Amino acid sequence: MRNVIRLFLAVSLSVYFVSCNSPKPPLTVTIVKRYNPVAIDTVKNMVKIGDKDKVWVRMDELIVLKPDDYSKEDVLNAFKNAFISIPKLSGIKIKKYCNECEDKVILLEGNDLQNYLVRMAPGGGDACPNTSNCNSSQQEITQNAIPQDSIRVTTRIDYKPTIDFPKSANQITLAILDTGIDPLDNYFVGRTNKFFTDLQGIVKGIDVTNDNVSIEDMAGVNMNGYPTDGIHHGTKVIKIILSQLPSNSNVKILPIKITNSCPGNLYDALCGLYTAQKYGADIINASWNYQANDDIYRLTRKVFRFLEGKNVTIVAAAGNDSLNLDTNKLYPACFKDSCSNIYSVTSVQKKIGGFVVVENYSDKFVDLGVSTYSNDVFKVPKTNNTPITSDDYELCYGTSFATAYITGYLCREGLVHSPKNEVIGKIIFKNIPVSGIPDKVYIPE
């Protein structure tokens, strides 16, 4: 638990909003302080703010974790009234909201809104700036790169299904929160039984990235359609996981698109997390990360503790910058010390006498290392051919793919809901203790 000293304004601005027809207590939004930006990037529309931990956040946006028993309209009106004395913030609007998670997370928009620290009561609500995710967990393709003009987009504009992801007895639902999926990839031929599909046998998933939201009528985010993958990051993650599963596996994969590219943004990631839980996810692959100041840390820890309470396992990438996470924290990987449901994964390379860490490391925050195929790269399958030759896979580096191997391992061995200490004990290769390298290393089959 962090010991954070908060400096409160001498005069707090508090507002109240209550429905005339509701007995619930008034929703209170209190402005605690205003951060002074230390840097601004007008090209990327980002600003750097914070107290001790200063991070880049998106201008004019604020993520709100909606208090229990209140509507998004309650939240919007409370914020409008809270900032009524600040003229340039009189036009606060709802930019996006997550209707698939009952509006639990909302994205507000207003001039310089990211600079304000607020508190909400009652009901456990919270707010923080919107930051970027993915950061450095995005891969760099070392061979067989996909030409930009050959990327396939598989849209079906006539397809407007009722979202339905039925869960049978003993089924494990695996949510992949990433860039979506290319359902026409050759590797998925004969494997669509591992996915939820429509009547035509096309892979179904959820896309939470739609920005075309009417702010005036609050039409909501369109969660229907195919979560297509323009950069194939999510597709590669899914292929690695599938390569670890037997043909009779009880795992069903649910692709949830939280970004079109890297970086994405934290709001869409949180919306994806809540949506995954709503549709019965037992395990979530999170091959992405984000930085956090105190406010982002506080709000997002609530989300991951909520998932912990729902018995949802998270496999998280440690990141790719060769950083010590003890002093350069990235989340959700660094929540593993406070949430028992999170596995933090990095990449390691086999050397004479042991392993060396390839990417981000930490004795405290990293649980597992995954041994690379060669040097610092992993094999990503391209075809179903046997025996496998060098033409049947491509080489990619990054903890995104190390994470996918651990997710596949947990699903294959039926360990998704097993206590974490028991699971780590089953990974049989004991590493020679070296500072910054995980005690357990998984060697992919």
Side-chain angles (χ1 to χ4, degrees):
M1 182 66 68
R2 292 184 168 186
N3 296 318
V4 180
I5 299 175
R6 297 290 191 188
L7 299 178
F8 289 81
L9 293 178
V11 179
S12 298
L13 301 178
S14 299
V15 298
Y16 305 91
F17 176 81
V18 62
S19 169
C20 297
N21 299 318
S22 174
K24 61 191 175 187
L27 177 61
T28 304
V29 173
T30 302
I31 300 175
V32 177
K33 67 175 295 183
R34 184 184 187 281
Y35 291 112
N36 293 316
V38 296
I40 297 175
D41 187 332
T42 55
V43 176
K44 295 181 179 179
N45 203 33
M46 303 282 283
V47 59
K48 195 172 188 178
I49 61 171
D51 287 328
K52 181 181 67 174
D53 298 317
K54 296 177 173 60
V55 299
W56 288 97
V57 300
R58 291 159 68 109
M59 287 184 183
D60 305 333
E61 294 182 356
L62 196 70
I63 297 172
V64 176
L65 197 61
K66 184 174 69 65
D68 297 335
D69 302 323
Y70 291 88
S71 69
K72 59 183 179 297
E73 291 83 5
D74 292 339
V75 171
L76 178 61
N77 279 282
F79 270 86
K80 282 184 174 180
N81 288 327
F83 288 91
I84 197 168
S85 62
I86 305 175
K88 68 177 181 178
L89 275 163
S90 61
I92 296 175
K93 300 177 182 180
I94 292 179
K95 184 173 184 178
K96 296 176 72 174
Y97 60 90
C98 183
N99 55 8
E100 283 304 313
C101 61
E102 299 176 346
D103 308 331
K104 184 63 178 176
V105 59
I106 302 166
L107 187 64
L108 296 181
E109 183 178 49
N111 292 332
D112 292 335
L113 192 57
Q114 78 286 339
N115 291 333
Y116 290 88
L117 170 62
V118 303
R119 290 287 183 267
M120 304 176 67
D126 213 331
C128 74
N130 191 17
T131 188
S132 297
N133 75 346
C134 285
N135 281 329
S136 57
S137 288
Q138 170 72 334
Q139 91 285 15
E140 292 291 337
I141 301 173
T142 58
Q143 68 177 34
N144 299 325
I146 303 169
Q148 185 67 29
D149 59 1
S150 71
I151 292 176
R152 288 172 291 179
V153 179
T154 55
T155 56
R156 294 275 296 282
I157 60 174
D158 60 334
Y159 183 64
K160 296 181 180 180
T162 299
I163 295 181
D164 183 23
F165 301 102
K167 188 169 185 176
S168 60
N170 301 319
Q171 175 185 303
I172 294 295
T173 298
L174 163 60
I176 313 292
L177 272 60
D178 215 286
T179 59
I181 184 173
D182 177 358
L184 299 184
D185 189 284
N186 293 333
Y187 190 71
F188 300 137
V189 174
R191 297 174 185 264
T192 55
N193 63 317
K194 295 295 187 292
F195 298 89
F196 298 94
T197 58
D198 67 8
L199 295 177
Q200 287 102 11
I202 302 296
V203 172
K204 284 202 305 184
I206 300 174
D207 185 350
V208 303
T209 64
N210 186 356
D211 289 325
N212 298 320
V213 181
S214 172
I215 297 173
E216 282 68 34
D217 61 15
M218 295 196 296
V221 178
N222 176 18
M223 306 288 280
N224 296 331
Y226 300 104
T228 55
D229 186 357
I231 65 172
H232 278 213
H233 183 271
T235 298
K236 296 177 194 300
V237 166
I238 293 171
K239 291 197 290 186
I240 288 176
I241 292 171
L242 276 178
S243 73
Q244 303 297 292
L245 300 179
S247 59
N248 62 348
S249 171
N250 64 340
V251 173
K252 284 279 191 179
I253 295 175
L254 173 58
I256 299 180
K257 184 173 183 175
I258 63 168
T259 180
N260 291 301
S261 60
C262 187
N265 71 88
L266 180 60
Y267 167 82
D268 285 337
L270 297 180
C271 187
L273 290 167
Y274 276 116
T275 300
Q277 188 278 324
K278 175 181 176 178
Y279 286 108
D282 297 282
I283 179 170
I284 295 172
N285 189 93
S287 289
W288 41 268
N289 51 54
Y290 59 91
Q291 294 179 311
N293 62 9
D294 293 334
D295 309 323
I296 296 170
Y297 174 91
R298 184 187 63 251
L299 184 147
T300 56
R301 188 175 63 170
K302 288 182 179 180
V303 176
F304 285 98
R305 284 186 168 173
F306 166 80
L307 294 171
E308 180 183 27
K310 296 295 183 179
N311 201 25
V312 179
T313 297
I314 312 290
V315 187
N320 301 343
D321 296 308
S322 299
L323 297 174
N324 184 346
L325 296 185
D326 293 351
T327 53
N328 299 276
K329 294 181 179 63
L330 295 172
Y331 300 92
C334 288
F335 279 136
K336 60 89 45 177
D337 66 327
S338 57
C339 297
S340 63
N341 60 325
I342 296 178
Y343 292 85
S344 177
V345 183
T346 194
S347 308
V348 297
Q349 181 182 350
K350 187 172 178 58
K351 295 285 188 179
I352 296 175
F355 290 86
V356 295
V357 70
V358 176
E359 308 293 359
N360 291 353
Y361 59 95
S362 167
D363 290 323
K364 179 179 180 180
F365 294 113
V366 176
D367 291 303
L368 297 165
V370 178
S371 180
T372 58
Y373 165 69
S374 174
N375 295 323
D376 59 350
V377 295
F378 295 99
K379 289 196 298 186
V380 178
K382 294 197 300 180
T383 73
N384 291 312
N385 297 339
T386 54
I388 295 175
T389 70
S390 60
D391 292 329
D392 298 315
Y393 60 83
E394 57 186 311
L395 300 177
C396 301
Y397 86 85
T399 56
S400 289
F401 306 114
T403 299
Y405 275 110
I406 294 299
T407 298
Y409 170 81
L410 295 175
C411 291
R412 184 185 72 231
E413 301 299 323
L415 299 173
V416 169
H417 293 305
S418 298
K420 193 166 90 170
N421 61 334
E422 293 182 13
V423 172
I424 293 177
K426 290 178 182 292
I427 297 179
I428 60 175
F429 195 96
K430 179 70 176 177
N431 184 40
I432 297 174
V434 178
S435 178
I437 299 177
D439 288 336
K440 293 288 184 175
V441 172
Y442 175 66
I443 302 176
E445 297 180 358

